[in-house]
Short mmCIF file of all heavy atoms in Angstrom, two decimals:
data_model
loop_
_atom_site.label_atom_id
_atom_site.label_comp_id
_atom_site.label_asym_id
_atom_site.label_seq_id
_atom_site.Cartn_x
_atom_site.Cartn_y
_atom_site.Cartn_z
N PRO A 1 -53.48 3.53 -14.31
CA PRO A 1 -52.06 3.31 -14.63
C PRO A 1 -51.13 3.30 -13.43
O PRO A 1 -50.00 2.80 -13.54
CB PRO A 1 -51.75 4.46 -15.58
CG PRO A 1 -52.79 5.50 -15.32
CD PRO A 1 -54.02 4.73 -14.94
N ASP A 2 -51.54 3.85 -12.30
CA ASP A 2 -50.68 3.87 -11.12
C ASP A 2 -50.95 2.72 -10.16
O ASP A 2 -50.38 2.67 -9.07
CB ASP A 2 -50.84 5.20 -10.38
CG ASP A 2 -50.37 6.39 -11.21
OD1 ASP A 2 -49.40 6.22 -11.97
OD2 ASP A 2 -50.99 7.46 -11.11
N GLU A 3 -51.82 1.79 -10.56
CA GLU A 3 -52.18 0.68 -9.69
C GLU A 3 -51.67 -0.64 -10.28
O GLU A 3 -51.41 -0.75 -11.48
CB GLU A 3 -53.69 0.62 -9.50
CG GLU A 3 -54.27 1.87 -8.85
CD GLU A 3 -55.74 1.70 -8.48
OE1 GLU A 3 -56.27 0.58 -8.61
OE2 GLU A 3 -56.34 2.69 -8.03
N TYR A 4 -51.57 -1.65 -9.43
CA TYR A 4 -51.18 -2.98 -9.90
C TYR A 4 -51.48 -4.01 -8.83
O TYR A 4 -51.65 -3.70 -7.65
CB TYR A 4 -49.69 -3.02 -10.28
CG TYR A 4 -48.74 -2.83 -9.12
CD1 TYR A 4 -48.36 -3.89 -8.30
CD2 TYR A 4 -48.19 -1.57 -8.85
CE1 TYR A 4 -47.49 -3.73 -7.24
CE2 TYR A 4 -47.31 -1.39 -7.79
CZ TYR A 4 -46.97 -2.47 -6.99
OH TYR A 4 -46.11 -2.30 -5.94
N THR A 5 -51.53 -5.26 -9.27
CA THR A 5 -51.50 -6.41 -8.38
C THR A 5 -50.35 -7.30 -8.83
O THR A 5 -50.20 -7.56 -10.02
CB THR A 5 -52.82 -7.20 -8.43
OG1 THR A 5 -53.87 -6.40 -7.90
CG2 THR A 5 -52.71 -8.49 -7.61
N GLU A 6 -49.54 -7.74 -7.87
CA GLU A 6 -48.37 -8.54 -8.20
C GLU A 6 -48.40 -9.84 -7.40
O GLU A 6 -48.62 -9.82 -6.19
CB GLU A 6 -47.10 -7.75 -7.87
CG GLU A 6 -45.82 -8.39 -8.34
CD GLU A 6 -44.64 -7.46 -8.16
OE1 GLU A 6 -44.26 -7.21 -7.00
OE2 GLU A 6 -44.11 -6.99 -9.18
N PHE A 7 -48.21 -10.95 -8.10
CA PHE A 7 -48.15 -12.27 -7.48
C PHE A 7 -46.70 -12.77 -7.57
O PHE A 7 -46.10 -12.76 -8.64
CB PHE A 7 -49.07 -13.25 -8.18
CG PHE A 7 -50.52 -12.85 -8.13
CD1 PHE A 7 -51.11 -12.19 -9.19
CD2 PHE A 7 -51.29 -13.14 -7.02
CE1 PHE A 7 -52.44 -11.82 -9.16
CE2 PHE A 7 -52.63 -12.77 -6.97
CZ PHE A 7 -53.20 -12.11 -8.03
N ILE A 8 -46.17 -13.22 -6.43
CA ILE A 8 -44.79 -13.69 -6.38
C ILE A 8 -44.78 -15.11 -5.82
O ILE A 8 -45.19 -15.35 -4.68
CB ILE A 8 -43.93 -12.79 -5.50
CG1 ILE A 8 -43.98 -11.34 -6.03
CG2 ILE A 8 -42.49 -13.28 -5.46
CD1 ILE A 8 -43.35 -10.34 -5.10
N TYR A 9 -44.32 -16.05 -6.64
CA TYR A 9 -44.24 -17.44 -6.22
C TYR A 9 -43.06 -17.66 -5.28
O TYR A 9 -41.93 -17.29 -5.60
CB TYR A 9 -44.04 -18.36 -7.43
CG TYR A 9 -45.28 -18.66 -8.21
CD1 TYR A 9 -45.72 -17.78 -9.19
CD2 TYR A 9 -46.02 -19.81 -7.97
CE1 TYR A 9 -46.87 -18.04 -9.91
CE2 TYR A 9 -47.16 -20.08 -8.69
CZ TYR A 9 -47.58 -19.19 -9.66
OH TYR A 9 -48.71 -19.45 -10.37
N GLU A 10 -43.33 -18.27 -4.14
CA GLU A 10 -42.28 -18.71 -3.23
C GLU A 10 -42.01 -20.20 -3.39
O GLU A 10 -40.86 -20.64 -3.32
CB GLU A 10 -42.68 -18.43 -1.78
CG GLU A 10 -42.88 -16.94 -1.48
CD GLU A 10 -43.33 -16.73 -0.06
OE1 GLU A 10 -43.10 -17.62 0.80
OE2 GLU A 10 -43.93 -15.67 0.23
N GLN A 11 -43.06 -20.98 -3.60
CA GLN A 11 -42.95 -22.42 -3.79
C GLN A 11 -43.95 -22.85 -4.86
O GLN A 11 -45.01 -22.24 -5.02
CB GLN A 11 -43.29 -23.19 -2.51
CG GLN A 11 -42.40 -22.93 -1.33
CD GLN A 11 -42.83 -23.76 -0.12
OE1 GLN A 11 -43.19 -24.94 -0.23
NE2 GLN A 11 -42.82 -23.13 1.04
N LEU A 12 -43.61 -23.90 -5.58
CA LEU A 12 -44.54 -24.51 -6.53
C LEU A 12 -44.20 -25.98 -6.67
O LEU A 12 -43.05 -26.35 -6.90
CB LEU A 12 -44.44 -23.83 -7.90
CG LEU A 12 -45.31 -24.44 -9.01
CD1 LEU A 12 -46.79 -24.27 -8.68
CD2 LEU A 12 -44.99 -23.81 -10.36
N LYS A 13 -45.21 -26.83 -6.49
CA LYS A 13 -45.07 -28.26 -6.70
C LYS A 13 -46.18 -28.69 -7.65
O LYS A 13 -47.33 -28.27 -7.50
CB LYS A 13 -45.18 -29.03 -5.38
CG LYS A 13 -44.10 -28.67 -4.35
CD LYS A 13 -44.31 -29.42 -3.05
CE LYS A 13 -43.27 -29.04 -2.02
NZ LYS A 13 -43.48 -29.76 -0.73
N LEU A 14 -45.84 -29.53 -8.61
CA LEU A 14 -46.81 -30.00 -9.59
C LEU A 14 -46.95 -31.52 -9.54
O LEU A 14 -46.03 -32.23 -9.16
CB LEU A 14 -46.38 -29.58 -11.00
CG LEU A 14 -46.30 -28.09 -11.28
CD1 LEU A 14 -45.81 -27.84 -12.70
CD2 LEU A 14 -47.65 -27.41 -11.07
N ASN A 15 -48.16 -31.97 -9.93
CA ASN A 15 -48.44 -33.41 -10.06
C ASN A 15 -48.17 -34.15 -8.76
O ASN A 15 -47.44 -35.14 -8.72
CB ASN A 15 -47.62 -34.00 -11.22
CG ASN A 15 -47.92 -33.32 -12.53
OD1 ASN A 15 -49.08 -33.06 -12.85
ND2 ASN A 15 -46.90 -33.00 -13.28
N ILE A 16 -48.75 -33.63 -7.69
CA ILE A 16 -48.62 -34.22 -6.37
C ILE A 16 -49.95 -34.81 -5.94
O ILE A 16 -51.01 -34.44 -6.46
CB ILE A 16 -48.17 -33.16 -5.35
CG1 ILE A 16 -49.18 -32.01 -5.30
CG2 ILE A 16 -46.77 -32.65 -5.68
CD1 ILE A 16 -48.91 -30.99 -4.22
N PRO A 17 -49.95 -35.75 -5.00
CA PRO A 17 -51.22 -36.31 -4.52
C PRO A 17 -52.03 -35.23 -3.78
O PRO A 17 -51.54 -34.61 -2.84
CB PRO A 17 -50.79 -37.42 -3.56
CG PRO A 17 -49.36 -37.72 -3.92
CD PRO A 17 -48.78 -36.43 -4.40
N VAL A 18 -53.26 -35.01 -4.23
CA VAL A 18 -54.17 -34.07 -3.58
C VAL A 18 -55.54 -34.74 -3.50
O VAL A 18 -56.10 -35.14 -4.53
CB VAL A 18 -54.28 -32.73 -4.34
CG1 VAL A 18 -55.25 -31.79 -3.62
CG2 VAL A 18 -52.92 -32.07 -4.47
N SER A 19 -56.09 -34.83 -2.31
CA SER A 19 -57.37 -35.49 -2.13
C SER A 19 -58.52 -34.59 -2.60
O SER A 19 -58.49 -33.37 -2.43
CB SER A 19 -57.57 -35.82 -0.64
OG SER A 19 -58.89 -36.26 -0.40
N ASP A 20 -59.55 -35.21 -3.17
CA ASP A 20 -60.75 -34.46 -3.55
C ASP A 20 -61.41 -33.83 -2.33
O ASP A 20 -62.13 -32.82 -2.45
CB ASP A 20 -61.76 -35.39 -4.25
CG ASP A 20 -61.33 -35.76 -5.65
OD1 ASP A 20 -60.58 -34.97 -6.27
OD2 ASP A 20 -61.73 -36.84 -6.14
N ALA A 21 -61.18 -34.42 -1.16
CA ALA A 21 -61.77 -33.88 0.07
C ALA A 21 -61.26 -32.47 0.38
O ALA A 21 -61.93 -31.73 1.13
CB ALA A 21 -61.49 -34.81 1.24
N MET A 22 -60.11 -32.10 -0.18
CA MET A 22 -59.57 -30.76 0.02
C MET A 22 -60.52 -29.69 -0.53
O MET A 22 -60.58 -28.56 -0.02
CB MET A 22 -58.21 -30.66 -0.67
CG MET A 22 -57.60 -29.28 -0.74
SD MET A 22 -56.99 -28.67 0.84
CE MET A 22 -55.56 -29.74 1.03
N PHE A 23 -61.30 -30.06 -1.56
CA PHE A 23 -62.10 -29.07 -2.29
C PHE A 23 -63.59 -29.18 -1.96
O PHE A 23 -64.44 -29.07 -2.84
CB PHE A 23 -61.85 -29.24 -3.78
CG PHE A 23 -60.39 -29.21 -4.13
CD1 PHE A 23 -59.70 -30.39 -4.36
CD2 PHE A 23 -59.69 -28.02 -4.19
CE1 PHE A 23 -58.35 -30.38 -4.66
CE2 PHE A 23 -58.33 -28.00 -4.48
CZ PHE A 23 -57.66 -29.18 -4.72
N THR A 24 -63.89 -29.39 -0.71
CA THR A 24 -65.28 -29.46 -0.24
C THR A 24 -65.51 -28.35 0.77
O THR A 24 -64.58 -27.82 1.38
CB THR A 24 -65.58 -30.81 0.41
OG1 THR A 24 -64.74 -30.96 1.59
CG2 THR A 24 -65.30 -31.96 -0.55
N LYS A 25 -66.78 -28.00 0.97
CA LYS A 25 -67.11 -26.95 1.95
C LYS A 25 -66.66 -27.36 3.34
O LYS A 25 -66.28 -26.51 4.16
CB LYS A 25 -68.61 -26.69 1.92
CG LYS A 25 -69.07 -25.96 0.66
CD LYS A 25 -70.59 -25.84 0.62
CE LYS A 25 -71.11 -24.98 1.74
NZ LYS A 25 -72.59 -24.82 1.68
N ALA A 26 -66.68 -28.67 3.63
CA ALA A 26 -66.28 -29.14 4.96
C ALA A 26 -64.82 -28.86 5.25
O ALA A 26 -64.42 -28.76 6.41
CB ALA A 26 -66.57 -30.63 5.09
N SER A 27 -64.00 -28.71 4.20
CA SER A 27 -62.57 -28.51 4.41
C SER A 27 -62.22 -27.05 4.71
O SER A 27 -61.09 -26.76 5.11
CB SER A 27 -61.79 -28.94 3.16
OG SER A 27 -61.95 -28.00 2.11
N LEU A 28 -63.15 -26.15 4.53
CA LEU A 28 -62.83 -24.72 4.62
C LEU A 28 -62.40 -24.28 6.00
O LEU A 28 -61.62 -23.35 6.16
CB LEU A 28 -64.02 -23.88 4.16
CG LEU A 28 -64.47 -24.10 2.70
CD1 LEU A 28 -65.59 -23.14 2.35
CD2 LEU A 28 -63.31 -23.93 1.73
#
């Protein structure tokens, strides 16, 4: 009860161009 994780959005963009190449091991 004394612990937590908090996520705070600073920016959010939706439905933008994102290449599939972003999600490959080579991109890491």
Side-chain angles (χ1 to χ4, degrees):
D2 295 326
E3 299 189 6
Y4 65 84
T5 294
E6 188 172 69
F7 299 97
I8 302 170
Y9 280 85
E10 298 178 21
Q11 298 180 41
L12 177 65
K13 299 177 182 179
L14 297 178
N15 302 316
I16 59 174
V18 180
S19 171
D20 287 334
M22 171 72 71
F23 307 100
T24 63
K25 288 175 65 178
S27 74
L28 298 184

